[in-house]
Amino acid sequence: MADSDAAIEALSFEDRRFPPSPEFVNHALATDASMYDDATKDREAFWAKQAESLDWYDKWSTICEWNLPFAKWFVGGTLNVSVNALDRHVVAGKGDKVAFHWEGEPGDTRTITYAQMLDEVERFANVLKNLGVKRGDRVNIYMPMIPELPVAMLACTRIGAAHSVVFGGFSSEALRDRINDAEAKVLITADGGYRRGAASGLKVNVDVAVKETPTIEHVVVVRRTGQDVEWSEGRDHWWHDLMDDSALEKHCEPERMDSEDLLYLLYTSGTTAKPKGIMHTTGGYLTQVAFTHKYVFDLHEHEDIYWCAADIGWVTGHSYIVYGPLTNGATSVMYEGTPDFPDKDRWWSIIEKYRVSILYCAPTAIRTFMKWGTKYPDGHDLSTLRLLGSVGEPINPEAWVWYWNTIGGGRCPVVDTWWQTETGGIMISPLPGVTTLKPGSATHPLPGVVAELVDEAGKPVTVGGGYLTLTEPWPGMLRGIWGDPERYKETYWSRFEGRYFAGDGAKLDDEGYLWLLGRVDDVMNVSGHRVSTTEVESALVDHPTVAEAAVVGANDATTGQAIIAYVTLKAGETGDEAHGQRLREHVSVKIGPIAKPKTIVFTDDLPKTRSGKIMRRLLRDVAEGRALGDTTTLADAGVVEEIARRAATSPTEE
Ligand code: WTA
């Protein structure tokens, strides 16, 4: 864990403490340790109690069946997710309550109540049925941040189809591969979306992707930007045509789903080139996201205006824009665009306009705001905020304290929440009315979650650095990797026997606080997005001029990590700036703009051990400008010095 040493050093100086304020405690849902005590006494009973806050058709017969590493939760129970997210609030007389205050990037807005959401979801569920989607099928979704996106997801849940949402920033090839892996029948998309004031295209990518997706029978397209699109009669349908069809049945009877039926697939990058389809099921997942959303954010259903500023294309949006908040009957803000359009105060103007009380975002955003300066937040009334959350990457203490002071006005607890696509919901986080905060620490596992740090040999660590593992099953845990049960065992359960290994390093201080230190495997974290080094390497090597490539994540003050690629070209090729630009574009086409290397270093050779393994550790040293570590195991020590010389002069894209 060479990377982590510097972080451990830095963290050991951080001893500021922020206990919950009396004002916050007076009003908080959880104010003492009783939930922790209940969960310690009987973990399964604790989770069953949380599950009881959902509406079930049939109650479960067994809380948890644990066949390491395969778990089933609330076995025998039946429920429908859309009913929990919508119908039950409408039935309880809250149909007029706002589910989403949606704000489009150009400034257009929509206010959608629970009753309106339900109406749209039922109708779109019937649209899907009419297109031949059946219980157990998969539906792909590739959309911008518009209200039709949660409508489409919930419509799938209504009829028992699993959705697979692909982030709109992924390329057509990435989309194609995910569709083919899931074998989806229908794809839901839009003509395009808005980003920084311009319309970007989605349907164009879809048209390329579906040329090679034999299972897709229909494409449903929302008209968002009005740009010209190509049309394939019979295959393509406008969303509004299908929804406005007078023959369309308005009511859609919800399917009674088994607790363990597949709810969705979400693809995430691992240490290999092929992304994994993470499987989440119905009852356990919904229990986990509803519980965590309520208690971590101290949600007061009737007062709070909650805003999770993530994209629904990632797990944070699935769990904390769609499933958690709707199940809890919350009023949310949903925003389509970027924080700097039309100006760098867009977020603060949204908070002021909707009187947002809870904000959940990523440290990358916070560090960017710090760079832009306080004049943007200072120009707005942020006094409605009462709680701030952070997710996606370690938050450095400076950013935490800036968030606390400048955005939270020194009165809002900052909850740093650690979790993963695989965990389904938040695992490690303060409870804001209970936990004394330390800037940069995610503090403790939530009630019902058991985490342990272990050393190389799998021996528990009580103080100091180690590997983060989870030792007991939890309701929202992934149920496997789509189509590859062996890979599930091997990826998550084989490094330390009997433990789920999350891929993260962490440190425990002498008061039992956890400090997350980032990935210890070949996964990079760029602006809170997971990108696999191997995936980027494969994309580069796929280019006809490239002989070999090695990719590392280097520390970056704004994005957390930046992608640095070391590339060896085939004989006769020249590694100049234009060539670097072509390779960046190629990666963008293969994966998406998020995976574009910031710097490409052309080199005649890569540092390898005598057995031919690329020494990424040394490449990281070079990328981060450190003195080179031990080079004695290298086959040719001169190679890395040459690379360091070249790296110093390689062009970098901002
Ligand atoms: C990292 C996002 C430190 C971590 C919800 C994890 C964090 C990966 C935190 C999962 C945090 C997430 N502190 N690191 N609070 N939250 N991570 O699957 O490395 O996109 O393994 O899920 O993000 O990323 P994913």
Side-chain angles (χ1 to χ4, degrees), residues 120-140:
E120 292 203 22
V121 165
E122 290 199 70
R123 281 189 295 133
F124 196 67
N126 287 328
V127 165
L128 290 175
K129 275 188 179 172
N130 292 344
L131 293 176
V133 178
K134 299 202 170 50
R135 181 175 173 143
D137 286 343
R138 271 86 49 214
V139 170
N140 252 93

Side-chain angles (χ1 to χ4, degrees), residues 141-159:
I141 302 180
Y142 182 64
M143 286 171 95
M145 283 284 288
I146 55 177
E148 288 82 354
L149 171 51
V151 168
M153 293 162 78
L154 288 162
C156 290
T157 74
R158 192 145 194 106
I159 62 172

Side-chain angles (χ1 to χ4, degrees), residues 240-295:
H240 54 263
D241 285 345
L242 299 172
M243 289 286 271
D244 298 343
D245 182 350
S246 56
L248 183 70
E249 187 67 45
K250 286 197 166 44
H251 176 65
C252 175
E253 194 56 28
E255 284 288 318
R256 296 178 174 226
M257 302 305 289
D258 187 274
S259 178
E260 280 300 329
D261 276 336
L262 185 66
L263 175 63
Y264 68 75
L265 299 176
L266 185 57
Y267 285 80
T268 187
S269 292
T271 52
T272 63
K274 190 174 178 297
K276 303 179 290 241
I278 301 299
M279 295 163 66
H280 281 296
T281 58
T282 307
Y285 172 82
L286 204 64
T287 300
Q288 186 110 24
V289 298
F291 164 71
T292 50
H293 178 256
K294 180 166 173 184
Y295 288 101

Side-chain angles (χ1 to χ4, degrees), residues 59 69 107 168 200 261 273 276 323 341 397 446 448 475 512 529 599 612:
K59 196 160 171 201
S200 65
D261 276 336
K276 303 179 290 241
Y323 292 115
F341 187 84
L446 285 174
H529 301 323
T599 306

Side-chain angles (χ1 to χ4, degrees), residues 347-359:
W347 277 29
W348 319 123
S349 91
I350 288 175
I351 288 174
E352 179 171 357
K353 175 170 169 189
Y354 297 104
R355 306 185 60 75
V356 171
S357 57
I358 302 170
L359 173 67

